[in-house]
Amino acid sequence: PSPKVAPGQPMLEQISQKDLLLHYPYESMDPFLRLLRESARDPNVVSMKITIYRLSSKSRIVDYLCQAAENGKDVTVLMELKARFDEQNNIEWAQRLEEAGCHLLYGFEDLKVHSKLCLITRITPDGVERFTQVGTGNYNEKTSAQYTDFSLMTADREIGEDADLFFKNMALANPEGEYRALWVAPNSFKSRIMELLDREIQKAENGQPCRVRMKLNSLSDRTLIDKLSQASQAGVPIDLIVRGICCLVPGRKGCTEHIRVRSIVGRFLEHSRVYSFGVGKDEVLYIGSADLMTRNMSKRVEVACPVRDPEAARRIHHVLDLQLSDNVRARVLDQDGVPVPVPAEKDAPRVDAQQTLMEEALRP
């Protein structure tokens, strides 16, 4: 159980007070499931909207969405029917949701909806309240116990308004909407990353502190690889944690010498996506659903969300720091693009990031 979540206090009340960040599988998905269950029964909640890419074969999420619709709430589900290997499963879930009275949207002909976004709207005497959840992984209870993912729940007004606009645009089949806080592919995700890399390049050229750290499943987009190389040549220190495909070769003198790439393969599948630009108070920190692949940037609907709560940001930094220090499960890419064990340092303590996070999760 997450120590940040009070067991006896309603989830909407807790989120209205402070952002809540869950880290699967070290923490349970139950607080998010509680949020859906309580919202389905809350008389002040008027609508629930969610994007779904993959679900488990038995899904409490679907149960709570159906309950909400049966309780008279406006429930909108943006369902991706082309989720590889889960097409039939998603069709069957879509039929059940429709039968319960949910409004189903089926995405776009040429774009897969891969985003992980949920919006709950409540109307009280004090006005309209929006509660937004953005994740790096699917709404799947089974994989939440096997994959490492972040799930952020926030009552941030700007993020909630963007989420509301996102679902309106999806209903109008408009993937080109403009947003203030969220990054949304295929329109603005890649361009925002390019802008932030340019910002770090400018800081390096001016002799100011700069840094880029990203955690991904894959990196293959040529334009972004070229921009990362340009940032390296300007002197920006760049750390990339890429579990799978990485088409950038680090450590090449005069090209990528300031870039370090590592992967971690352990008990859990590393699945979270984190994008960090800058140092200290100047940092821009996002989590989201997209890898830096051309298909994610131009052929999918993806969403990333800013992490504005200092405690949530600190926890994400802790995970990145641990993984960048891992010398047990980690492999680093050498100058030929070959993954090799982390070079041993004499008397250096063993750091196993996943094992450390498991031990920390079990502490009182």
Side-chain angles (χ1 to χ4, degrees):
S2 170
K4 307 296 181 183
V5 178
Q9 184 181 8
M11 289 303 301
L12 291 174
E13 185 178 305
Q14 293 188 60
I15 298 167
S16 67
Q17 295 169 356
K18 186 178 182 180
D19 290 0
L20 293 176
L21 178 75
L22 301 177
H23 188 197
Y24 310 145
Y26 309 103
E27 295 174 328
S28 168
M29 192 186 199
D30 282 350
F32 174 66
L33 298 174
R34 272 182 57 197
L35 172 65
L36 294 182
R37 183 179 72 244
E38 292 172 10
S39 298
R41 300 169 183 175
D42 188 324
N44 292 321
V45 169
V46 295
S47 70
M48 299 169 65
K49 301 178 182 181
I50 191 170
T51 63
I52 290 179
Y53 188 73
R54 294 191 197 279
L55 291 167
S56 60
S57 56
K58 295 180 180 180
S59 175
R60 284 184 285 168
I61 290 172
V62 170
D63 292 341
Y64 298 145
L65 293 171
C66 290
Q67 286 180 26
E70 290 162 356
N71 288 339
K73 304 185 189 310
D74 177 15
V75 179
T76 299
V77 179
L78 178 51
M79 176 76 78
E80 179 51 69
L81 296 182
K82 301 188 294 294
R84 189 173 50 172
F85 308 126
D86 278 334
E87 294 90 344
Q88 185 60 40
N89 195 40
N90 283 8
I91 289 171
E92 292 171 0
W93 282 129
Q95 290 172 341
R96 181 178 169 189
L97 287 161
E98 282 191 327
E99 289 169 0
C102 301
H103 179 52
L104 269 290
L105 304 175
Y106 291 107
F108 306 88
E109 182 178 354
D110 300 321
L111 295 172
K112 275 190 179 183
V113 179
H114 189 248
S115 54
K116 328 297 181 185
L117 181 68
C118 178
L119 174 66
I120 294 165
T121 303
R122 182 168 69 168
I123 296 179
T124 69
D126 296 325
V128 177
E129 298 175 324
R130 293 186 177 91
F131 300 86
T132 311
Q133 183 273 343
V134 179
T136 66
N138 298 305
Y139 295 112
N140 186 313
E141 292 101 311
K142 183 176 180 180
T143 59
S144 72
Q146 300 170 334
Y147 297 3
T148 73
D149 275 304
F150 289 113
S151 173
L152 179 70
M153 295 175 281
T154 179
D156 183 290
R157 183 179 296 274
E158 186 177 56
I159 293 172
E161 290 174 352
D162 270 5
D164 186 54
L165 179 59
F166 171 86
F167 281 105
K168 288 178 180 176
N169 283 329
M170 294 301 103
L172 295 171
N174 172 28
E176 303 297 328
E178 297 290 337
Y179 305 90
R180 292 179 295 168
L182 298 180
W183 298 346
V184 179
N187 189 39
S188 63
F189 207 119
K190 184 174 179 177
S191 62
R192 295 291 174 84
I193 291 178
M194 296 285 282
E195 289 167 8
L196 287 165
L197 287 171
D198 280 331
R199 189 189 75 146
E200 296 307 299
I201 290 171
Q202 186 67 49
K203 288 193 291 186
E205 292 173 346
N206 293 336
Q208 298 171 327
C210 55
R211 183 178 68 186
V212 172
R213 298 202 295 182
M214 288 191 279
K215 184 176 183 299
L216 311 161
N217 292 328
S218 302
L219 170 60
S220 62
D221 183 87
R222 180 56 188 267
T223 306
L224 289 168
I225 288 173
D226 288 345
K227 181 60 71 173
L228 287 164
S229 176
Q230 182 186 345
S232 172
Q233 292 168 47
V236 180
I238 301 171
D239 282 299
L240 305 175
I241 304 169
V242 186
R243 189 198 78 233
I245 295 168
C246 182
C247 296
L248 182 151
V249 179
R252 293 293 182 92
K253 189 172 178 59
C255 185
T256 59
E257 60 190 302
H258 292 107
I259 301 178
R260 292 161 296 279
V261 180
R262 62 171 46 212
S263 62
I264 293 177
V265 179
R267 173 174 176 173
F268 305 124
L269 181 81
E270 292 292 338
H271 194 255
S272 54
R273 288 93 167 189
V274 179
Y275 324 90
S276 169
F277 305 86
V279 182
K281 293 182 179 180
D282 190 47
E283 182 192 27
V284 175
L285 177 64
Y286 272 68
I287 62 170
S289 59
D291 295 309
L292 300 192
M293 305 176 73
T294 302
R295 72 178 190 188
N296 297 86
M297 298 293 104
S298 61
K299 297 184 181 300
R300 291 188 174 190
V301 176
E302 307 273 12
V303 171
C305 174
V307 180
R308 292 169 169 169
D309 178 75
E311 173 62 19
R314 186 198 64 77
R315 294 182 63 204
I316 293 172
H317 291 155
H318 176 60
V319 173
L320 294 179
D321 291 341
L322 270 178
Q323 297 204 335
L324 291 170
S325 302
D326 192 308
N327 55 14
V328 176
R329 301 290 181 186
R331 297 292 182 270
V332 293
L333 285 191
D334 65 15
Q335 295 181 10
D336 295 317
V338 177
V340 297
V342 176
E345 295 183 19
K346 187 177 180 180
D347 299 326
R350 285 168 53 88
V351 179
D352 183 333
Q354 290 193 0
Q355 182 65 32
T356 300
L357 289 166
M358 281 190 282
E359 292 170 358
E360 290 178 351
L362 292 171
R363 289 175 192 161

